[in-house]
Amino acid sequence: MRYDHDVLREIRERVDIAALIGAYVPLKKRGNDLVGLCPFHAEKTPSFHVHPDRGFFKCFGCGTGGDVITFVQKSENVAFGDAVRTLAAKAGIELAPENPRAARARSEREALYEANRVAAAYFTRMLGGQRGAPAVSYCRERGFSTTTIERFGLGYAPDSWSGLVTELERNGIDLPTAAKAGLVKPGQRGYYDFYRNRLMIPTYSTTGEVIAFGGRALGDGEPKYLNTTTTPVYTKGRHLFALNLARRGAQNDRTLIVVEGYLDCIALHQAGFENAVAALGTSFTAEQAAELNRYADHVFLCFDGDAAGGAAATKAIDVASKVIEHAGSSVRIVLVPPGDDPDSFVRREGREAFDRLLEKAKPALEFRIDAEVENLRGGFESPARLSQRAEALIHRLAPREEWDRWRVYVAGRLQVNVDDLRNSRFLADSANFVPKSKAAFAQSRHAAASVEPLSFEREVLSILLEEPRLAAEYSGRISPSRFRNEIYRRVYERIAEAGGTIATTADVFGLFAEDQGMLDLLAEIGRRDRSSAVRYGGSDERRAHLERVVERLRLEDERRRYRELSDLIDERLANGKTVSDELRGEFEALVAKLKR
């Protein structure tokens, strides 16, 4: 949901940014700033600055910056709304009330969460008791330590028809609600336990609630896994197993490892890869990709060695990588040796060997091209036809700016001449051999060279970041249309629109509270201003610089008008027309101004 700007401002005003960050990072006073080691990247020399008077932080090492909401988002790896709710509770601020329909839906979800919580506690207790011996033995066979069992909340569903039913009733859980959560089933004699004689693996939301379970059969029972189906709090294909843990592991390098199953994921965590999650199948969805993109810029996609070699699974990996890339994260494909899965490989070979697999991981585009090249190599087509098909797949899979690089790569794999690929599409089209008329050449023209942003743009934003009140005074004198850099123009327009409602640097950051890219840009602009020894000592100096910008723009306008009038007068004289007194007077006045 969107939050009122006044509420966000109140949160920033009430929450002491120095105290908040000081609870995470030891800070020392340095001038007007507080300085410490950055919590978002490894460093030995402090480069993390907190500005209590201006309400924001900035790391000069990794570039991360923002306000109190941004800090909670990054340190806790949570969404904007979750950070707002956390800080609102801390500051004693009441957020907008829910409408009745939303309240009913939330009430139902809370009831399901409570049913799942009671069930998870019951399964944990069963695992620790005498009846849990088979599950404990299974965990030991898989190499799971006590710490890992506790970390993932593993449990045991005993071979009983009503053990969980009794536990739920004892805790006041409505059985129809428990059935809606997928914990019990209705029968002719009442409700009975859905999970029996299984190792229980709970899935948690990123905010800590149990939302689903996976039950692994301990014997020869079928199916091997019995999983929660769709409920009001869980939809398969929308959630990722262990993301509640992995989001912290991904905090520093923004990297996640995606595997197929629960046990693959748990085994990687125990081996030290605490940024692993499980997709619970090779069918990957846009919702899961969006979740990954919230916490990671880089994703390792790792499925079974046998699966990666099969045509159907290769297609699934292809789809999954495209979905993740479309959401904004880069993807590399980890190839586990045939006959292995991530679980068996890391348990047998160890962490270092899996690290080497990650180092050898192929970019998703290379994996997709390799798969298709292998199909081409298995045919009996002529080199000319092979080149045409290779060129076609490059056009289909690779970005245009990378076509030539991939031509060289694919030609090497197919053992054909790279020039054959370059020429194949041209030679295959007979229209390319039709003589072209001379008129075709007359229509070509050169595009204008790109123009670098004017230097004043960043300076103006830097000044308004330091003293936002100046926006109301100068927004009418410095038009947003004068900004050639589109991003700077958007920032300036937003600040100008806010006008007299903003007074502090934190207020400016508040205007872009839900746009992390803009927050990083503002922090970087603030960094530049501070890094060159206090360029503007006070309000008078800032205002003087803005006056110079206004004067510069006025002079540019006058010179442009001078050129326009000069051309117009020349044209009229060349055509034997008279020049009006009004036109001549304007021209002479401009000449006089420009001579001064």
Side-chain angles (χ1 to χ4, degrees), residues 256-258 298-304 307-309 313-314 316-322 324-325 330-336 354 356-371:
L256 286 170
I257 302 170
V258 181
H298 312 287
V299 173
F300 287 101
L301 201 54
C302 179
F303 293 121
D304 296 358
T314 299
I317 294 172
D318 177 28
V319 171
S321 62
K322 287 178 181 177
I324 297 170
E325 287 175 331
S330 66
V331 184
R332 285 181 172 267
I333 308 300
V334 181
L335 299 176
V336 179
F354 194 81
R356 289 193 290 273
L357 290 185
L358 296 180
E359 291 171 3
K360 296 176 182 177
K362 293 183 177 182
L365 178 55
E366 182 179 339
F367 176 85
R368 294 198 291 267
I369 288 178
D370 279 349

Side-chain angles (χ1 to χ4, degrees), residues 4-10 12-13 464 467-473 475 492-512:
D4 184 79
H5 178 67
D6 291 336
V7 171
L8 299 178
R9 176 185 291 183
E10 189 176 2
R12 296 185 185 94
E13 289 175 350
L464 296 184
E467 191 171 346
R469 294 183 188 277
L470 293 175
E473 183 177 346
S475 59
Y492 181 76
E493 285 175 340
R494 187 70 185 90
I495 294 174
E497 288 171 1
T501 65
I502 53 175
T504 67
T505 301
D507 287 342
V508 178
F509 275 87
L511 298 175
F512 305 92

Side-chain angles (χ1 to χ4, degrees), residues 5 11 37 40 89 99 140 206 232 271 287 291 294 307 309 327 349 413 459 513 541 548 581:
H5 178 67
I11 288 174
L37 296 175
F40 307 120
N99 61 50
R140 297 299 179 228
T206 53
E287 288 88 351
E291 278 293 287
R294 288 174 59 191
E349 302 294 338
R413 295 290 309 276
E459 298 293 310
E541 289 186 25
R548 288 193 292 273
D581 291 341

Side-chain angles (χ1 to χ4, degrees), residues 393-540:
L393 80 86
I394 290 170
H395 281 238
R396 177 163 46 86
L397 296 179
R400 187 183 186 90
E401 61 272 16
E402 296 183 16
W403 281 357
D404 211 55
R405 180 171 73 87
W406 287 109
R407 285 187 183 110
V408 175
Y409 176 80
V410 171
R413 295 290 309 276
L414 294 175
Q415 295 183 335
V416 297
N417 192 313
V418 67
D419 288 332
D420 291 344
L421 270 70
R422 293 189 181 106
N423 297 331
S424 62
R425 284 174 63 85
F426 178 78
L427 294 172
D429 188 351
S430 59
N432 288 312
F433 296 95
V434 176
K436 293 181 173 60
S437 67
K438 293 182 179 180
F441 297 95
Q443 297 177 12
S444 64
R445 61 181 181 179
H446 295 288
S450 61
V451 181
E452 288 295 322
L454 298 179
S455 60
F456 82 86
E457 300 177 14
R458 192 180 182 101
E459 298 293 310
V460 169
L461 293 181
S462 176
I463 289 172
L464 296 184
L465 190 60
E466 288 281 343
E467 191 171 346
R469 294 183 188 277
L470 293 175
E473 183 177 346
Y474 284 91
S475 59
R477 302 176 65 192
I478 302 175
S479 171
S481 64
R482 306 306 294 268
F483 283 62
R484 298 181 187 176
N485 183 298
E486 182 181 352
I487 296 177
Y488 288 170
R489 181 169 64 249
R490 284 166 51 200
V491 173
Y492 181 76
E493 285 175 340
R494 187 70 185 90
I495 294 174
E497 288 171 1
T501 65
I502 53 175
T504 67
T505 301
D507 287 342
V508 178
F509 275 87
L511 298 175
F512 305 92
E514 297 186 54
D515 190 335
Q516 187 57 49
M518 288 298 191
L519 291 175
D520 291 341
L521 173 66
L522 290 175
E524 180 61 24
I525 289 173
R527 169 185 177 181
R528 172 172 173 164
D529 187 37
R530 294 190 300 278
S531 65
S532 53
V534 190
R535 187 175 305 148
Y536 310 112
S539 183
D540 289 341

Side-chain angles (χ1 to χ4, degrees), residues 32-84:
N32 293 326
D33 297 348
L34 297 171
V35 181
L37 296 175
C38 180
F40 307 120
H41 80 287
E43 62 175 10
K44 295 182 179 179
T45 303
S47 61
F48 184 81
H49 290 239
V50 180
H51 308 276
D53 56 330
R54 298 164 68 190
F56 80 103
F57 69 93
K58 172 70 180 180
C59 175
F60 295 102
C62 67
T64 302
D67 59 5
V68 288
I69 299 174
T70 310
F71 185 84
V72 171
Q73 281 185 265
K74 289 184 172 295
S75 60
E76 296 297 329
N77 230 354
V78 297
F80 176 81
D82 292 333
V84 169

Side-chain angles (χ1 to χ4, degrees), residues 201 203 213-215 225 227 241 260-267 278 280:
I201 308 167
T203 295
F213 290 94
Y225 281 97
N227 300 313
F241 174 71
E260 186 175 352
Y262 299 109
L263 300 185
D264 293 322
C265 181
I266 295 172
L280 306 180

